[in-house]
């Protein structure tokens, strides 16, 4: 393993969001930020081991990204399948950048983790004949290994089961709360978080949860683009918090665009309806306006190729035909199959005036999943002592340059359990008090959210080039420089509030994504450079690791690793990229 850099000053970067001082506080052993499969699994396991656990979530407990997952959870549960086959498919999808040790851990621990999820109360679809779990296929999988629930409502069922288990366990929760920053002690160790509760519940306004262990499970950052499958709460808060605390992030340039998102028009913004890959897994075809199956011949799996290949195939056909979308044709399913297997997708399509039973569905790629995130080791530890990350906010090395379909729920499940085991294996400690750090980072006005989305969609979407990325970088730096000048020259910043904090977080992660995408001069996985259309293993079979500089004011430091090995994480010595 290669480990870039040396040590940093304790206490991170010294940058914090402008916010009022905490007016209330809670004490805990562990605070979990996020309430998807990763966060709630970690919370349940920590609480079961006797640790005082508090769950902080941005909306309601059941309103994160997990509930939107349609396809299912991948694991080698079927006859004839094996973890080794699952590993092979994952490595192929990851395009040379997966950490094989992390993937092997995922696929070997995954089946039992799914069984424990079932024991928690999650009910998966089973065969009427055998009573065994029904398994389907998705892109990049050579076997049927996707377990699903409610036809196409897997995430909702997993969320229901975990939320009920959390309530039954009596775990304390703080809902409608946006996490702001990490609290750190004099040595730079984690001491809790600050957060803002949005006017509902027993707490209100800015407060703090003091704890020596913080688990980030905040989900993705899809709202950095104009059109995404992510809910409105997915504004990159966890990645931005970790960067401000001095943590490292990796592989953020690899944003997966789901190939088949319901096309609602060229100006559609915000969360868009997903048309699950499982629809193609059951035999739907991608066609152009003339009914031609354009993916046939492009890959051995045709429509079931890995997502990056299908997204590129759709974009190429759209360019060739000057079209705004392609079509997914599943009319041959018939009404009964649509109603039983894909009731959620059927309802979403019909609500927008499209009936998949009688007509093809217009689809186009949209931002879906961040394959990179906060850098962790195999126990979910980041480069900041006491700070853990799991789920989409994390970069464990499992996904490489492109996530294999339905590995996300499994990754959240497996690594959440590993984090909880790591925390509970340590002696309980109260930790040091959080040291107040002056708020020095400028806040963006609320309207900057839409500026960031426009800039990123135009310059750093599915198709990227040196010119488009340079334009995006210049525009993003312009937004940042304007706010910084107002702060330093005039002592002014946007009014603290949820909208301005979210806009500031989005700008932070956008700057990192673009900086990494500019450096990676190749096409690999879900990073597609039109000016560098080929994969370049000699130069770029390596990771890009990014952090905020602790010495040069608010600068991004982007350093490639020495090899394709996923960099080691040593939280106790807080490694750095500073040279």
């Amino acid at each position: 393993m290669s480990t870039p850099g040396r040590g940093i000053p304790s206490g991170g970067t010294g940058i914090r969001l402008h916010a009022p001082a905490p007016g209330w506080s809670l004490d805990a052993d562990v605070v979990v930020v996020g309430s998807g499969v990763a966060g709630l699994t970690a919370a349940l396991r920590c609480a079961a081991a006797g640790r005082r656990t508090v769950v902080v979530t941005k909306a309601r407990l059941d309103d994160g990204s997990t509930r939107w997952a349609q396809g299912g959870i991948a694991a080698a549960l079927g006859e004839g399948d094996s973890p080794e086959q699952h590993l092979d498919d994952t490595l192929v999808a990851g395009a040379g950048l997966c950490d094989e040790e992390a993937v092997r851990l995922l696929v070997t621990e995954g089946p039992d983790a799914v069984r424990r999820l079932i024991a928690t109360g999650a009910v998966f679809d089973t065969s009427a004949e055998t009573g065994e779990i029904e398994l389907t296929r998705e892109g990049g999988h050579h076997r049927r290994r996707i377990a699903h629930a409610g036809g196409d409502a897997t995430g909702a069922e997993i969320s229901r089961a975990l939320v009920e288990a959390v309530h039954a366990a009596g775990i304390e929760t703080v809902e409608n709360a946006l996490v702001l920053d990490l609290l750190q002690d004099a040595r730079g160790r984690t001491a809790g978080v600050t957060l803002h509760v949005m006017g509902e519940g027993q707490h209100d306004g800015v407060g703090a949860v003091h704890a020596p262990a913080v688990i980030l499970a905040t989900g993705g950052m899809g709202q950095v683009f104009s059109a995404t499958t992510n809910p409105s709460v997915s504004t990159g808060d966890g990645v931005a918090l970790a960067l401000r605390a001095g943590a490292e992030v990796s592989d953020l340039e690899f944003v997966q665009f789901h190939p088949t998102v319901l096309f609602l028009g060229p100006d559609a913004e915000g969360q868009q309806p997903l048309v699950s890959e499982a629809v193609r897994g059951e035999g739907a075809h991608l066609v152009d306006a003339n009914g031609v199956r354009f993916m046939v011949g492009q890959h051995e799996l045709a429509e079931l190729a890995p997502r990056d290949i299908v997204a590129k195939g759709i974009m190429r056909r759209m360019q060739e035909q000057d079209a705004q979308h392609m079509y997914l044709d599943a009319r041959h399913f018939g009404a009964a199959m649509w109603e039983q297997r894909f009731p959620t997708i059927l309802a979403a399509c019909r609500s927008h005036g499209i009936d998949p039973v009688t007509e093809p569905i217009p689809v186009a790629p949209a931002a879906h999943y961040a394959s990179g995130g906060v850098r962790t080791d195999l126990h979910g530890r980041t480069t900041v002592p006491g700070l853990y990350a799991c789920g989409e906010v994390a970069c464990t090395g499992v996904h490489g340059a492109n996530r294999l379909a339905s590995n996300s729920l499994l990754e959240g499940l497996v690594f959440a359990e590993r984090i909880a085991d790591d925390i509970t294996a340590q002696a309980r400690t109260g930790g040091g008090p959080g040291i107040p750090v002056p708020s020095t980072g400028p806040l963006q006005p609320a309207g900057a959210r839409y500026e960031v989305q426009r800039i990123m969609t135009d310059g750093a979407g599915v198709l990227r080039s040196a010119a488009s990325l340079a334009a995006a970088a210049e525009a993003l730096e312009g937004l940042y420089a304007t706010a910084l000048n107002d702060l330093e020259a005039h002592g002014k910043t946007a009014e603290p509030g949820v909208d301005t904090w979210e806009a500031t977080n989005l700008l932070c992660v956008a700057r990192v994504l673009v900086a990494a995408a500019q450096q990676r001069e190749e096409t690999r996985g879900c990073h597609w450079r039109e000016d560098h259309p080929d994969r370049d293993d000699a130069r770029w079979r390596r990771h890009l690791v990014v952090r905020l500089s602790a010495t040069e004011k608010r600068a991004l430091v982007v350093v490639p690793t020495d090899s394709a090995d996923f960099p080691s994480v040593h939280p106790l010595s807080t490694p750095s990229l500073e040279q």
Side-chain angles (χ1 to χ4, degrees), residues 163-249:
V163 168
E164 287 186 5
V166 165
H167 286 319
I171 295 173
E172 185 169 4
T173 62
V174 183
E175 296 183 302
N176 302 296
L178 170 64
V179 68
L180 300 175
D181 281 301
L182 191 72
L183 290 169
Q184 293 170 271
D185 66 17
R187 295 177 297 167
R189 291 175 174 272
T190 294
V193 293
T194 56
L195 63 156
H196 173 79
V197 179
M198 295 172 267
E200 298 181 28
Q202 62 182 5
H203 303 290
D204 194 8
V206 174
V209 181
H210 300 287
V214 171
I215 303 173
L216 292 179
T218 52
M221 56 184 208
Q223 289 291 325
V224 79
F225 295 97
S226 296
T228 177
T229 62
N230 290 191
S232 61
V233 295
S234 297
T235 51
D237 307 321
V239 172
L241 174 150
L243 281 164
R244 290 192 294 269
E248 296 172 357
V249 303

Side-chain angles (χ1 to χ4, degrees), residues 45-198:
R45 205 168 176 98
C46 286
R51 298 301 169 100
R52 293 174 301 164
T53 303
V54 173
V55 175
V56 174
T57 186
K58 195 172 179 181
R60 297 187 309 276
L61 206 57
D62 63 351
D63 205 22
S65 293
T66 291
R67 67 181 285 248
W68 297 100
Q70 295 175 344
I73 185 167
L77 297 166
E79 184 177 352
D81 198 4
S82 68
E84 197 68 27
Q85 294 176 70
H86 190 181
L87 179 141
D88 289 343
D89 285 345
T90 301
L91 295 180
V92 169
L97 283 186
C98 294
D99 174 33
E100 186 167 341
E101 186 179 2
V103 178
R104 190 171 297 280
L105 180 155
L106 177 83
V107 299
T108 54
E109 295 187 6
D112 283 343
V114 172
R115 295 184 184 103
R116 284 190 289 273
L117 179 62
I118 293 170
T120 302
V123 179
F124 288 91
D125 296 335
T126 56
S127 167
E129 291 78 24
T130 67
E132 298 294 321
I133 294 175
E134 281 189 336
L135 301 172
T136 188
R137 276 182 70 193
E138 292 186 359
H141 293 273
H142 284 79
R143 290 275 186 180
R144 283 183 169 264
R145 65 168 66 98
I146 316 300
H148 50 83
D152 58 356
T154 310
E157 170 57 20
I158 290 174
S159 181
R160 178 205 63 77
L162 291 174
V163 168
E164 287 186 5
V166 165
H167 286 319
I171 295 173
E172 185 169 4
T173 62
V174 183
E175 296 183 302
N176 302 296
L178 170 64
V179 68
L180 300 175
D181 281 301
L182 191 72
L183 290 169
Q184 293 170 271
D185 66 17
R187 295 177 297 167
R189 291 175 174 272
T190 294
V193 293
T194 56
L195 63 156
H196 173 79
V197 179
M198 295 172 267

